[in-house]
């Protein structure tokens, strides 16, 4: 799957730690429960823990969804310092930290 390893620049352990934070849980679209992005982050952690040969079709579909989300969201970067913004927090839920070199 091209693009997933570029879109997801956080390690599984970095993403797991992030998903445990209040900031992570404070952003995203939700129907009263877990947000779509937070649920996606947990799925990404699972995918990152698999060998390529063990990926399912559903995993690959989710990987494509992640790539699309990250690319769309990066195009909407706000001006100024983004360190403590909902924009960055949302991206991080999807496995991408825009401040990571």
């Amino acid at each position: 799957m091209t693009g997933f390893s570029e879109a997801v620049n956080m390690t599984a352990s970095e993403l797991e730690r992030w998903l445990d934070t209040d900031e992570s849980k404070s952003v995203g679209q939700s129907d009263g429960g877990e947000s779509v992005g937070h649920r996606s982050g947990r799925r990404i952690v699972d995918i990152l823990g698999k060998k390529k040969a063990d990926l399912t079709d559903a995993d690959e579909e989710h990987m494509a969804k992640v790539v699309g989300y990250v690319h769309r969201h990066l195009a909407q970067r706000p001006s100024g310092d983004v360190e403590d913004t909902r924009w960055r927090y949302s991206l991080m839920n999807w496995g991408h930290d825009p401040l990571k070199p």
Side-chain angles (χ1 to χ4, degrees):
M1 145 100 235
T2 57
F4 184 76
S5 58
E6 291 81 27
V8 176
N9 68 355
M10 296 171 74
T11 65
S13 60
E14 286 172 333
L15 185 51
E16 273 185 311
R17 277 195 306 277
W18 165 251
L19 292 172
D20 281 341
T21 67
D22 290 340
E23 291 85 355
S24 169
K25 296 170 186 162
S26 73
V27 296
Q29 294 179 336
S30 161
D31 54 9
E34 184 179 27
S35 75
V36 173
H38 200 272
R39 189 166 38 252
S40 173
R42 288 189 302 105
R43 180 92 190 267
I44 292 165
V45 168
D46 180 54
I47 289 170
L48 290 173
K50 291 184 176 186
K51 293 183 173 80
K52 194 169 186 175
D54 295 334
L55 294 173
T56 65
D57 288 346
D59 290 336
E60 295 201 9
E61 284 176 26
H62 191 72
M63 291 164 74
K65 184 176 178 179
V66 170
V67 171
Y69 178 87
V70 169
H71 286 287
R72 280 193 313 278
H73 211 65
L74 283 173
Q76 300 168 3
R77 183 183 183 112
S79 58
D81 180 10
V82 297
E83 185 167 356
D84 297 313
T85 61
R86 294 176 62 81
W87 175 82
R88 178 178 178 232
Y89 296 166
S90 292
L91 268 172
M92 289 175 70
N93 279 353
W94 288 79
H96 183 87
D97 183 352
L99 299 184
K100 197 172 179 185

XYZ file of all heavy atoms in Angstrom:
795
model
N 0.868 -1.185 0.000
C 0.000 0.000 0.000
C 0.898 1.225 0.000
O 1.627 1.449 0.958
C -0.899 -0.139 1.230
C -1.280 1.119 1.940
S -2.912 1.663 1.521
C -2.632 3.280 0.992
N 0.870 1.978 -1.047
C 1.726 3.158 -1.133
C 1.121 4.305 -0.346
O -0.086 4.499 -0.354
C 1.922 3.595 -2.595
O 0.648 3.829 -3.156
C 2.674 2.558 -3.393
N 1.994 5.019 0.332
C 1.550 6.204 1.030
C 1.294 6.030 2.516
O 1.378 6.989 3.266
N 0.945 4.833 2.964
C 0.605 4.643 4.372
C 1.796 4.928 5.276
O 1.663 5.629 6.274
C 0.080 3.221 4.613
C -0.378 2.972 6.023
C -1.595 3.468 6.474
C 0.389 2.229 6.897
C -2.018 3.247 7.776
C -0.027 1.996 8.197
C -1.238 2.506 8.633
N 2.962 4.414 4.909
C 4.129 4.626 5.775
C 4.571 6.085 5.788
O 5.207 6.524 6.741
C 5.285 3.708 5.374
O 5.640 3.921 4.037
N 4.234 6.848 4.754
C 4.529 8.284 4.762
C 3.467 9.038 5.571
O 3.778 9.973 6.298
C 4.574 8.854 3.340
C 5.743 8.379 2.504
C 5.526 6.999 1.895
O 4.364 6.616 1.660
O 6.517 6.292 1.675
N 2.211 8.628 5.421
C 1.120 9.315 6.115
C 1.197 9.078 7.625
O 0.978 9.986 8.422
C -0.226 8.849 5.573
N 1.494 7.844 8.017
C 1.585 7.501 9.437
C 3.051 7.612 9.850
O 3.851 6.738 9.569
C 1.033 6.082 9.708
C 1.225 5.698 11.168
C -0.433 6.018 9.325
N 3.384 8.733 10.506
C 4.782 8.946 10.890
C 5.009 8.731 12.391
O 6.079 9.005 12.898
C 5.275 10.327 10.444
C 4.605 11.470 11.195
O 3.699 11.278 12.001
N 5.058 12.680 10.920
N 3.990 8.240 13.083
C 4.133 7.926 14.506
C 4.286 6.413 14.646
O 3.693 5.652 13.882
C 2.897 8.393 15.288
C 2.709 9.902 15.259
S 1.114 10.428 15.947
C 1.394 10.184 17.704
N 5.081 5.997 15.621
C 5.214 4.565 15.884
C 3.968 4.089 16.624
O 3.203 4.891 17.169
C 6.449 4.264 16.744
O 6.253 4.860 18.043
C 7.734 4.798 16.107
N 3.794 2.781 16.673
C 2.648 2.222 17.391
C 2.662 2.668 18.854
O 1.626 3.043 19.409
C 2.646 0.702 17.279
N 3.836 2.650 19.487
C 3.898 3.040 20.904
C 3.640 4.534 21.094
O 2.966 4.936 22.043
C 5.221 2.626 21.544
O 6.313 3.219 20.892
N 4.137 5.379 20.183
C 3.846 6.816 20.255
C 2.345 7.059 20.114
O 1.761 7.852 20.859
C 4.565 7.578 19.132
C 6.042 7.750 19.330
C 6.739 8.333 18.104
O 6.257 8.156 16.951
O 7.786 8.964 18.301
N 1.737 6.370 19.171
C 0.307 6.549 18.925
C -0.514 6.042 20.110
O -1.457 6.702 20.540
C -0.085 5.839 17.625
C -1.528 6.008 17.148
C -1.965 7.466 17.107
C -1.704 5.355 15.785
N -0.131 4.902 20.666
C -0.844 4.379 21.839
C -0.785 5.360 23.007
O -1.799 5.616 23.657
C -0.243 3.049 22.284
C -0.815 1.859 21.579
C -0.277 0.554 22.128
O 0.951 0.420 22.272
O -1.099 -0.332 22.410
N 0.403 5.907 23.261
C 0.549 6.893 24.349
C -0.322 8.118 24.071
O -0.978 8.636 24.959
C 2.015 7.318 24.517
C 2.834 6.353 25.354
C 4.159 6.950 25.802
N 4.979 7.475 24.718
C 5.789 6.740 23.959
N 5.895 5.443 24.153
N 6.498 7.303 23.012
N -0.319 8.596 22.823
C -1.113 9.759 22.451
C -2.610 9.487 22.661
O -3.333 10.314 23.193
C -0.846 10.157 20.992
C -1.872 11.098 20.477
C -2.835 10.832 19.552
C -2.092 12.453 20.887
N -3.627 11.942 19.367
C -3.190 12.942 20.177
C -1.448 13.293 21.794
C -3.674 14.230 20.335
C -1.934 14.584 21.954
C -3.024 15.043 21.233
N -3.079 8.311 22.252
C -4.505 7.991 22.346
C -4.996 7.947 23.791
O -6.195 8.066 24.042
C -4.800 6.665 21.638
C -4.633 6.692 20.114
C -4.750 5.286 19.545
C -5.634 7.635 19.465
N -4.075 7.800 24.743
C -4.435 7.785 26.165
C -4.595 9.189 26.753
O -4.989 9.324 27.901
C -3.373 7.032 26.983
C -3.527 5.523 26.862
O -4.621 5.061 26.478
O -2.551 4.814 27.157
N -4.282 10.228 25.983
C -4.315 11.593 26.530
C -5.705 12.216 26.408
O -6.499 11.849 25.529
C -3.310 12.517 25.807
O -3.749 12.708 24.446
C -1.891 11.950 25.834
N -5.968 13.179 27.282
C -7.234 13.917 27.211
C -7.327 14.704 25.912
O -8.410 14.847 25.341
C -7.361 14.885 28.397
C -7.577 14.141 29.705
O -8.006 12.960 29.679
O -7.305 14.728 30.763
N -6.185 15.231 25.431
C -6.175 16.001 24.183
C -6.652 15.128 23.018
O -7.424 15.565 22.176
C -4.778 16.547 23.878
C -4.314 17.624 24.821
C -3.660 17.089 26.090
O -3.639 15.858 26.304
O -3.180 17.906 26.878
N -6.186 13.899 22.985
C -6.589 12.986 21.926
C -8.092 12.747 21.952
O -8.753 12.714 20.917
C -5.856 11.649 22.075
O -6.418 10.673 21.225
N -8.623 12.600 23.150
C -10.053 12.283 23.291
C -10.940 13.507 23.116
O -12.160 13.384 23.016
C -10.296 11.635 24.658
C -9.587 10.293 24.782
C -9.619 9.760 26.202
C -8.761 8.496 26.289
N -8.404 8.157 27.644
N -10.325 14.706 23.052
C -11.108 15.953 22.998
C -11.475 16.377 21.580
O -12.212 17.337 21.408
C -10.316 17.090 23.660
O -9.237 17.506 22.824
N -10.956 15.698 20.568
C -11.189 16.125 19.188
C -11.862 15.032 18.371
O -11.810 13.860 18.721
C -9.878 16.550 18.479
C -9.272 17.763 19.144
C -8.880 15.408 18.430
N -12.449 15.459 17.274
C -13.008 14.508 16.325
C -14.520 14.422 16.383
O -15.148 14.869 17.334
N -15.087 13.856 15.331
C -16.537 13.689 15.241
C -16.941 12.447 16.016
O -16.346 11.389 15.869
C -16.959 13.543 13.788
C -16.712 14.789 12.979
C -17.118 14.605 11.536
O -17.164 13.500 11.036
N -17.404 15.704 10.873
N -17.972 12.612 16.856
C -18.394 11.524 17.712
C -19.912 11.507 17.802
O -20.566 12.530 17.697
C -17.784 11.741 19.095
O -18.471 11.004 20.064
N -20.444 10.317 18.013
C -21.894 10.200 18.231
C -22.166 10.041 19.725
O -23.104 9.376 20.133
C -22.463 9.033 17.428
C -21.727 7.732 17.702
O -20.898 7.693 18.638
O -21.988 6.743 16.993
N -21.312 10.626 20.532
C -21.449 10.538 21.972
C -20.466 9.560 22.591
O -20.213 9.593 23.788
N -19.887 8.699 21.774
C -18.896 7.747 22.258
C -17.518 8.143 21.764
O -17.177 9.312 21.701
N -16.746 7.153 21.384
C -15.398 7.389 20.874
C -15.470 8.066 19.504
O -16.306 7.707 18.673
C -14.683 6.036 20.761
C -13.251 6.146 20.335
C -12.565 4.791 20.244
O -13.256 3.784 20.005
O -11.353 4.746 20.406
N -14.582 9.035 19.271
C -14.598 9.718 17.975
C -14.089 8.794 16.864
O -13.387 7.810 17.113
C -13.732 10.984 18.026
O -12.363 10.639 18.009
N -14.446 9.151 15.648
C -14.017 8.387 14.469
C -12.489 8.324 14.409
O -11.906 7.267 14.177
C -14.593 9.033 13.185
C -14.031 8.368 11.931
C -16.108 8.968 13.196
N -11.834 9.477 14.633
C -10.374 9.517 14.573
C -9.718 8.700 15.666
O -8.705 8.031 15.434
N -10.277 8.731 16.860
C -9.703 7.968 17.974
C -9.818 6.471 17.692
O -8.867 5.712 17.889
C -10.404 8.340 19.286
C -9.616 7.995 20.498
N -9.709 6.757 21.105
C -8.704 8.700 21.209
C -8.894 6.725 22.145
N -8.267 7.894 22.226
N -10.968 6.054 17.187
C -11.170 4.647 16.830
C -10.196 4.259 15.716
O -9.601 3.186 15.731
C -12.622 4.433 16.401
C -13.015 2.989 16.214
C -14.524 2.757 16.109
N -15.264 3.780 15.377
C -16.087 4.666 15.937
N -16.270 4.678 17.239
N -16.727 5.553 15.193
N -10.011 5.165 14.755
C -9.066 4.917 13.669
C -7.652 4.742 14.220
O -6.909 3.868 13.770
C -9.085 6.072 12.666
O -8.058 5.909 11.710
N -7.288 5.575 15.189
C -5.954 5.467 15.791
C -5.714 4.100 16.408
O -4.641 3.507 16.242
N -6.722 3.576 17.095
C -6.576 2.242 17.689
C -6.415 1.191 16.598
O -5.625 0.257 16.730
C -7.778 1.908 18.587
C -7.774 2.694 19.887
C -8.817 2.244 20.909
N -10.181 2.318 20.402
C -10.919 1.252 20.029
N -10.421 0.043 20.092
N -12.163 1.413 19.600
N -7.131 1.378 15.501
C -7.030 0.445 14.370
C -5.630 0.530 13.734
O -5.048 -0.482 13.347
C -8.122 0.808 13.355
C -8.173 -0.043 12.132
C -9.131 -1.208 12.314
N -9.008 -2.147 11.216
C -9.758 -2.095 10.126
N -10.695 -1.183 9.998
N -9.578 -2.985 9.174
N -5.082 1.742 13.639
C -3.745 1.928 13.070
C -2.707 1.228 13.938
O -1.798 0.571 13.429
C -3.418 3.426 12.910
C -4.308 4.048 11.829
C -1.941 3.638 12.580
C -4.331 5.566 11.829
N -2.835 1.336 15.272
C -1.908 0.642 16.181
C -1.936 -0.858 15.879
O -0.886 -1.509 15.789
C -2.260 0.924 17.660
C -1.492 -0.008 18.587
C -1.970 2.383 18.011
N -3.127 -1.395 15.693
C -3.281 -2.818 15.375
C -2.599 -3.151 14.046
O -1.858 -4.130 13.943
C -4.777 -3.164 15.323
C -5.015 -4.628 15.009
O -4.461 -5.483 15.720
O -5.760 -4.915 14.056
N -2.822 -2.319 13.033
C -2.223 -2.540 11.709
C -0.701 -2.477 11.790
O -0.001 -3.304 11.192
C -2.777 -1.518 10.686
C -4.237 -1.847 10.360
C -1.929 -1.481 9.412
C -4.965 -0.780 9.553
N -0.179 -1.500 12.538
C 1.277 -1.362 12.655
C 1.919 -2.581 13.329
O 3.091 -2.863 13.122
C 1.632 -0.087 13.438
C 1.347 1.235 12.720
C 1.569 2.409 13.659
C 2.198 1.380 11.468
N 1.130 -3.305 14.097
C 1.647 -4.490 14.782
C 1.625 -5.746 13.931
O 2.090 -6.800 14.368
N 1.085 -5.647 12.725
C 0.976 -6.825 11.862
C 2.115 -6.889 10.849
O 2.641 -5.868 10.433
C -0.348 -6.792 11.083
C -1.573 -6.983 11.931
C -2.811 -7.038 11.047
C -4.056 -7.338 11.850
N -5.218 -7.526 10.958
N 2.426 -8.106 10.435
C 3.324 -8.288 9.291
C 2.521 -8.002 8.030
O 1.304 -8.204 7.990
C 3.827 -9.737 9.249
C 4.732 -10.115 10.397
C 5.231 -11.547 10.203
C 6.276 -11.908 11.228
N 5.695 -12.263 12.520
N 3.201 -7.521 7.008
C 2.525 -7.167 5.755
C 1.679 -8.328 5.228
O 0.561 -8.130 4.762
C 3.573 -6.745 4.722
C 2.996 -6.044 3.525
C 4.064 -5.421 2.664
C 3.421 -4.609 1.564
N 4.372 -3.886 0.763
N 2.206 -9.536 5.329
C 1.500 -10.714 4.819
C 0.214 -11.004 5.594
O -0.672 -11.703 5.091
C 2.419 -11.930 4.866
N 0.107 -10.485 6.803
C -1.065 -10.748 7.645
C -2.155 -9.693 7.511
O -3.201 -9.793 8.163
C -0.645 -10.854 9.118
C 0.260 -12.054 9.371
O 0.178 -13.034 8.601
O 1.049 -12.002 10.327
N -1.927 -8.665 6.689
C -2.933 -7.610 6.521
C -4.148 -8.154 5.774
O -4.012 -8.864 4.779
C -2.344 -6.421 5.755
C -1.242 -5.646 6.467
C -0.639 -4.607 5.527
C -1.775 -4.985 7.729
N -5.324 -7.799 6.258
C -6.563 -8.219 5.600
C -6.978 -7.159 4.577
O -6.444 -6.045 4.569
C -7.690 -8.366 6.638
O -7.964 -7.065 7.194
C -7.308 -9.337 7.751
N -7.969 -7.503 3.769
C -8.518 -6.515 2.827
C -9.077 -5.322 3.596
O -8.921 -4.176 3.173
C -9.617 -7.139 1.963
C -9.064 -8.117 0.926
O -7.829 -8.118 0.704
O -9.850 -8.878 0.355
N -9.715 -5.592 4.734
C -10.269 -4.507 5.551
C -9.149 -3.609 6.080
O -9.302 -2.387 6.146
C -11.091 -5.075 6.698
N -8.020 -4.212 6.470
C -6.871 -3.414 6.924
C -6.396 -2.497 5.798
O -6.139 -1.314 6.007
C -5.697 -4.316 7.343
C -5.943 -5.082 8.628
O -6.775 -4.638 9.459
O -5.295 -6.137 8.807
N -6.280 -3.057 4.604
C -5.792 -2.261 3.470
C -6.767 -1.145 3.110
O -6.347 -0.051 2.751
C -5.486 -3.168 2.285
C -4.322 -4.097 2.649
C -3.594 -4.673 1.459
O -3.854 -4.247 0.324
O -2.742 -5.542 1.697
N -8.069 -1.416 3.233
C -9.066 -0.361 3.005
C -8.890 0.759 4.031
O -8.978 1.942 3.696
C -10.483 -0.923 3.108
C -10.917 -1.719 1.912
C -12.296 -2.343 2.113
O -13.107 -1.806 2.896
O -12.543 -3.379 1.474
N -8.656 0.370 5.287
C -8.480 1.389 6.323
C -7.195 2.184 6.080
O -7.171 3.401 6.258
C -8.460 0.776 7.727
C -8.547 1.819 8.792
N -9.707 2.508 9.054
C -7.611 2.341 9.626
C -9.485 3.401 10.006
N -8.221 3.318 10.369
N -6.149 1.506 5.648
C -4.894 2.190 5.342
C -5.108 3.247 4.255
O -4.587 4.363 4.360
C -3.828 1.167 4.918
C -3.387 0.277 6.082
S -2.513 -1.214 5.555
C -0.930 -0.531 5.075
N -5.893 2.919 3.242
C -6.186 3.880 2.169
C -6.988 5.053 2.725
O -6.757 6.214 2.351
C -6.943 3.189 1.035
N -7.926 4.772 3.629
C -8.726 5.821 4.253
C -7.828 6.767 5.057
O -7.996 7.986 5.020
C -9.774 5.169 5.163
C -10.728 6.122 5.808
C -11.770 5.342 6.607
C -12.728 6.272 7.308
N -13.743 5.547 8.065
N -6.860 6.198 5.764
C -5.918 6.996 6.562
C -5.113 7.922 5.662
O -4.973 9.120 5.947
C -4.977 6.080 7.384
C -3.842 6.870 8.019
C -5.771 5.318 8.444
N -4.594 7.389 4.576
C -3.804 8.194 3.639
C -4.638 9.360 3.118
O -4.195 10.508 3.112
C -3.269 7.330 2.474
C -2.640 8.196 1.395
C -2.259 6.310 2.999
N -5.872 9.084 2.719
C -6.751 10.136 2.211
C -7.024 11.201 3.259
O -6.953 12.402 2.978
N -7.316 10.765 4.476
C -7.612 11.721 5.555
C -6.402 12.609 5.827
O -6.529 13.833 5.911
C -8.017 10.986 6.840
C -8.271 11.950 7.976
C -9.520 12.524 8.142
C -7.250 12.333 8.839
C -9.753 13.444 9.155
C -7.467 13.249 9.846
C -8.725 13.803 9.998
O -8.944 14.721 10.990
N -5.240 11.995 5.988
C -4.030 12.761 6.314
C -3.737 13.778 5.213
O -3.469 14.945 5.495
C -2.825 11.827 6.580
C -1.518 12.609 6.651
C -3.042 11.035 7.871
N -3.812 13.362 3.961
C -3.536 14.294 2.855
C -4.531 15.448 2.822
O -4.138 16.601 2.652
C -3.492 13.554 1.511
C -2.255 12.746 1.325
N -1.033 13.309 1.075
C -2.045 11.409 1.386
C -0.122 12.359 0.985
N -0.709 11.191 1.176
N -5.830 15.150 3.005
C -6.846 16.208 3.017
C -6.621 17.164 4.184
O -6.718 18.374 4.044
C -8.252 15.604 3.137
C -8.821 15.082 1.854
C -10.313 14.780 1.961
N -10.691 14.022 3.148
C -10.591 12.704 3.277
N -10.111 11.977 2.278
N -10.976 12.106 4.382
N -6.335 16.599 5.346
C -6.188 17.414 6.556
C -4.933 18.293 6.486
O -4.955 19.445 6.917
C -6.154 16.497 7.775
C -6.723 17.112 9.009
N -8.048 17.463 9.117
C -6.152 17.438 10.185
C -8.258 17.985 10.320
N -7.119 17.982 10.984
N -3.839 17.745 5.951
C -2.607 18.534 5.817
C -2.829 19.748 4.927
O -2.236 20.805 5.152
C -1.468 17.672 5.262
C -0.818 16.712 6.251
C 0.178 15.810 5.530
C -0.144 17.458 7.396
N -3.695 19.607 3.927
C -3.971 20.720 3.013
C -4.732 21.856 3.706
O -4.791 22.965 3.193
C -4.770 20.216 1.810
N -5.286 21.581 4.887
C -6.068 22.586 5.623
C -5.281 23.184 6.784
O -5.863 23.743 7.711
C -7.353 21.939 6.164
C -8.240 21.385 5.091
C -9.343 20.492 5.664
O -9.472 20.328 6.860
N -10.130 19.903 4.777
N -3.955 23.079 6.731
C -3.112 23.559 7.833
C -3.411 25.022 8.159
O -3.371 25.880 7.286
C -1.635 23.409 7.457
C -0.689 23.815 8.588
C 0.781 23.733 8.160
N 1.641 24.048 9.276
C 2.433 23.173 9.881
N 2.483 21.923 9.466
N 3.180 23.537 10.895
N -3.699 25.296 9.429
C -3.928 26.697 9.810
C -2.606 27.461 9.858
O -1.533 26.859 9.949
C -4.547 26.588 11.207
C -4.107 25.267 11.725
C -3.866 24.381 10.543
N -2.691 28.779 9.818
C -1.465 29.571 9.905
C -1.018 29.662 11.357
O -1.798 29.423 12.280
C -1.705 30.969 9.335
O -2.750 31.585 10.051
N 0.234 29.984 11.530
C 0.772 30.171 12.878
C 1.248 28.869 13.508
O 1.412 27.849 12.841
N 1.452 28.931 14.809
C 1.949 27.789 15.576
C 0.827 26.771 15.728
O -0.240 27.086 16.251
C 2.421 28.293 16.953
C 2.964 27.176 17.828
O 3.160 26.052 17.323
O 3.187 27.436 19.021
N 1.070 25.540 15.288
C 0.016 24.528 15.323
C 0.186 23.520 16.466
O -0.594 22.585 16.583
C -0.057 23.756 13.982
C -0.433 24.699 12.844
C 1.232 23.025 13.688
N 1.180 23.749 17.341
C 1.499 22.731 18.348
C 0.301 22.327 19.209
O 0.056 21.145 19.420
C 2.646 23.193 19.251
C 3.057 22.104 20.221
C 4.378 22.370 20.915
O 5.040 23.369 20.609
O 4.723 21.562 21.771
N -0.439 23.288 19.708
C -1.556 22.983 20.605
C -2.905 23.265 19.946
O -3.767 23.915 20.527
C -1.431 23.796 21.903
C -0.179 23.425 22.681
O 0.072 22.218 22.848
O 0.548 24.337 23.108
N -3.084 22.738 18.734
C -4.324 22.989 18.006
C -5.125 21.704 17.818
O -4.576 20.601 17.763
C -4.047 23.588 16.611
O -3.267 22.631 15.857
C -3.296 24.904 16.698
N -6.427 21.881 17.691
C -7.303 20.735 17.405
C -6.919 20.103 16.060
O -7.049 18.890 15.880
C -8.766 21.199 17.388
C -9.254 21.667 18.744
C -10.671 22.222 18.695
N -11.652 21.233 18.285
C -12.197 20.317 19.101
N -11.861 20.296 20.366
N -13.074 19.450 18.646
N -6.423 20.936 15.131
C -6.002 20.432 13.825
C -4.899 19.388 13.997
O -4.980 18.290 13.441
C -5.520 21.625 12.980
C -4.951 21.248 11.649
C -5.658 20.979 10.510
C -3.569 21.088 11.317
N -4.777 20.659 9.488
C -3.502 20.716 9.960
C -2.380 21.214 12.041
C -2.295 20.475 9.309
C -1.175 20.978 11.397
C -1.152 20.614 10.044
N -3.881 19.721 14.796
C -2.777 18.775 15.021
C -3.263 17.552 15.793
O -2.910 16.425 15.462
C -1.649 19.457 15.793
C -0.505 18.497 16.103
C 0.649 19.187 16.821
N 1.684 18.234 17.143
C 2.203 18.087 18.363
N 1.807 18.857 19.361
N 3.144 17.179 18.586
N -4.080 17.776 16.809
C -4.566 16.654 17.619
C -5.356 15.666 16.751
O -5.226 14.445 16.910
C -5.441 17.151 18.764
C -4.735 18.024 19.784
C -5.462 18.770 20.688
C -3.342 18.104 19.846
C -4.838 19.566 21.635
C -2.714 18.909 20.783
C -3.457 19.637 21.679
O -2.843 20.429 22.606
N -6.180 16.190 15.844
C -6.946 15.312 14.954
C -6.017 14.483 14.068
O -6.213 13.276 13.902
C -7.901 16.128 14.078
O -8.906 16.706 14.853
N -5.020 15.129 13.496
C -4.055 14.408 12.661
C -3.329 13.329 13.462
O -3.112 12.221 12.973
C -3.020 15.377 12.080
C -3.322 15.978 10.723
C -2.304 17.048 10.376
C -3.367 14.921 9.637
N -2.973 13.669 14.690
C -2.252 12.692 15.508
C -3.126 11.476 15.825
O -2.619 10.356 15.916
C -1.719 13.351 16.780
C -0.564 14.307 16.483
S 0.000 15.221 17.924
C 0.771 13.929 18.900
N -4.428 11.674 15.966
C -5.322 10.526 16.166
C -5.269 9.578 14.976
O -5.515 8.384 15.114
C -6.764 10.982 16.395
C -7.026 11.428 17.815
O -6.180 11.297 18.692
N -8.205 11.969 18.042
N -4.952 10.125 13.810
C -4.845 9.323 12.589
C -3.394 8.902 12.323
O -3.054 8.452 11.235
C -5.412 10.098 11.402
C -6.906 10.203 11.443
C -7.655 11.059 12.199
C -7.834 9.413 10.707
N -8.993 10.842 11.968
C -9.131 9.854 11.060
C -7.712 8.385 9.771
C -10.283 9.290 10.522
C -8.863 7.843 9.228
C -10.124 8.288 9.612
N -2.514 9.073 13.319
C -1.153 8.555 13.213
C -0.136 9.490 12.610
O 0.991 9.091 12.341
N -0.521 10.756 12.386
C 0.426 11.694 11.754
C 0.657 12.907 12.651
O -0.280 13.645 12.957
C -0.103 12.175 10.394
C 0.860 13.070 9.685
N 1.857 12.579 8.877
C 1.013 14.414 9.694
C 2.568 13.589 8.410
N 2.073 14.725 8.898
N 1.903 13.101 13.070
C 2.265 14.310 13.828
C 2.941 15.271 12.875
O 4.060 15.035 12.436
C 3.194 13.968 14.985
C 3.526 15.183 15.849
O 3.165 16.322 15.468
O 4.142 14.999 16.911
N 2.259 16.382 12.533
C 2.826 17.322 11.555
C 4.073 18.034 12.053
O 4.794 18.636 11.257
C 1.687 18.318 11.309
C 0.842 18.235 12.537
C 0.955 16.816 13.022
N 4.376 17.952 13.355
C 5.575 18.598 13.893
C 6.753 17.643 13.960
O 7.857 18.053 14.310
C 5.284 19.179 15.281
C 4.205 20.255 15.332
C 4.076 20.802 16.733
C 4.476 21.366 14.339
N 6.537 16.397 13.628
C 7.608 15.407 13.690
C 8.504 15.554 12.451
O 7.989 15.593 11.344
C 7.002 14.003 13.755
C 7.947 12.948 14.220
C 7.202 11.633 14.446
C 8.198 10.597 14.891
N 7.572 9.292 15.020
N 9.812 15.643 12.672
C 10.711 15.826 11.503
C 10.730 14.611 10.586
O 10.390 13.542 10.948
C 12.089 16.033 12.132
C 11.977 15.712 13.571
C 10.531 15.598 13.917
